[in-house]
Amino acid sequence: MSKEQRAKIDAMLRQPRPEGPRTVEEMRAGFKAMMAEMIVPDGIRTAASTLGNRPALLVEPVERPRTGTILYFHGGAYVFGSPETALSLTGNLVAKTGFRAFSLDYRLAPEHPFPAAIEDALSAYRALLDSGEDPATIAFAGDSAGGGITVTTCLAARDAGLPLPAAIVAFSPGLDATRTGESMDTRAGFDPFFTRESLEHTGAMYLAGQDPRQQLLSPALLADLTGFPPMLLQAGTNEVLLDDSTRMAARARAAGVDVILDVTADVPHVFQAFAGVLDEADQALDRAALFIAQHIRTPDTATASAR
């Protein structure tokens, strides 16, 4: 454990911010500046791409690529963020697994509220399938709001009659738009990122008046997870969204879904982004990469399993 590293990151995240609600432009600029400080690993290359009807960032290993695709959904409360702001996460997953990743630039609220992000994610997944990709070689991964999209896109894909991907990996996912988890209150003083008020501010932009009590907005409470692929949910104890993961894990278990709930002590929301400066971040990404590699069915694993 790395008490000094965790304390340093916590202090950085608690630096004073301007009082009062910020404009959408200020939130987007601030998040972009913060995430630009994250360390992107060596051994990857990126290229602009398109998936479905949306731009995407293709992230590939420079050496020893393997057959398999990670479809990644960035975080940012459905209001800010981009494939570039998530590059420390996608880059590490690609470097550690050898699989390529498409990081989707889905539409953002308030210009494009619910369900625009899910529609774009489903369209991107459908495009991969239409290109001939075997769903057994695809994993969904995402952080925060994007972690929520990993789950809701599976729901949308199943409802559309599409085969589901091989696995889901979600870092600190947002899975409850009703904000009724106990951790919203019990972890409030520990969370250096979010308050109930800040989440309700951005949440209102995404909801645009919709009732949050529906499975595509609050899957931790309402989703039928029957037939879902194996799931890895990673979260930290210092985040108000912790119970989004704990309740989703319980719901998955009740539905007969293989699920790993991976909770790290004394780390903040999407702590994995601090890879290279926080030991727990690198270790969590190692576990996530192993989980993906275990579940994506590559030609090598298919041959081995047939022996």
Side-chain angles (χ1 to χ4, degrees):
M1 302 291 275
S2 51
K3 283 187 178 180
E4 291 163 1
Q5 294 172 347
R6 286 176 286 164
K8 184 176 180 181
I9 288 170
D10 188 79
M12 180 195 76
L13 295 174
R14 292 183 188 276
Q15 290 178 356
R17 304 176 193 173
E19 291 188 10
R22 294 178 296 164
T23 66
V24 171
E25 291 74 19
E26 288 169 336
M27 285 190 286
R28 288 173 178 168
F31 187 70
K32 181 179 180 180
M34 181 182 73
M35 298 308 290
E37 299 297 318
M38 304 302 166
I39 297 172
V40 176
D42 296 327
I44 63 167
R45 59 173 173 245
T46 63
S49 184
T50 302
L51 206 53
N53 55 0
R54 293 297 302 169
L57 187 68
L58 174 61
V59 187
E60 296 178 292
V62 173
E63 297 180 357
R64 296 186 296 277
R66 301 171 65 196
T67 300
T69 297
I70 300 167
L71 181 53
Y72 196 89
F73 309 113
H74 69 80
Y78 300 100
V79 172
F80 43 89
S82 69
E84 287 72 26
T85 63
L87 193 51
S88 65
L89 296 163
T90 50
N92 270 292
L93 289 178
V94 167
K96 291 174 183 293
T97 63
F99 300 131
R100 68 176 182 173
F102 283 101
S103 187
L104 184 68
D105 191 5
Y106 57 86
R107 289 171 293 168
L108 298 174
E111 297 91 341
H112 304 282
F114 171 79
I118 300 169
E119 291 171 347
D120 291 347
L122 181 62
S123 177
Y125 180 51
R126 194 187 295 273
L128 285 178
L129 297 177
D130 288 347
S131 72
E133 289 235 21
D134 184 339
T137 67
I138 301 171
F140 288 176
D143 64 281
S144 194
I149 293 173
T150 65
V151 173
T152 54
T153 302
C154 270
L155 291 169
R158 189 185 61 193
D159 289 348
L162 299 178
L164 297 187
I168 292 172
V169 171
F171 303 134
S172 298
L175 297 165
D176 174 22
T178 71
R179 310 299 180 206
T180 54
E182 288 185 9
S183 59
M184 286 295 301
D185 298 315
T186 60
R187 309 313 296 169
F190 297 89
D191 193 322
F193 267 126
F194 292 133
T195 63
R196 180 181 290 277
E197 292 72 25
S198 69
L199 288 170
E200 288 177 349
H201 178 57
T202 52
M205 296 183 196
Y206 182 57
L207 287 173
Q210 291 269 0
D211 182 357
R213 292 194 62 82
Q214 48 185 298
Q215 70 169 357
L216 291 183
L217 288 168
S218 300
L221 298 182
L222 301 165
D224 173 10
L225 303 179
T226 303
F228 257 49
M231 304 171 67
L232 171 64
L233 306 171
Q234 290 188 342
T237 61
N238 287 6
E239 56 176 313
V240 294
L241 295 182
L242 174 59
D243 280 355
D244 287 35
S245 290
T246 60
R247 289 176 298 161
M248 175 56 69
R251 195 166 192 85
R253 284 194 301 270
V257 175
D258 291 341
V259 59
I260 296 174
L261 175 63
D262 181 355
V263 179
T264 298
D266 302 327
V267 293
H269 186 68
V270 194
F271 67 95
Q272 299 87 344
F274 293 95
V277 295
L278 178 65
D279 291 344
E280 286 82 358
D282 292 287
Q283 293 160 3
L285 285 164
D286 283 341
R287 297 193 296 273
L290 176 62
F291 183 85
I292 291 171
Q294 287 174 328
H295 290 95
I296 280 186
R297 188 175 177 84
T298 68
D300 293 339
T301 59
T303 301
S305 64
R307 288 174 184 163

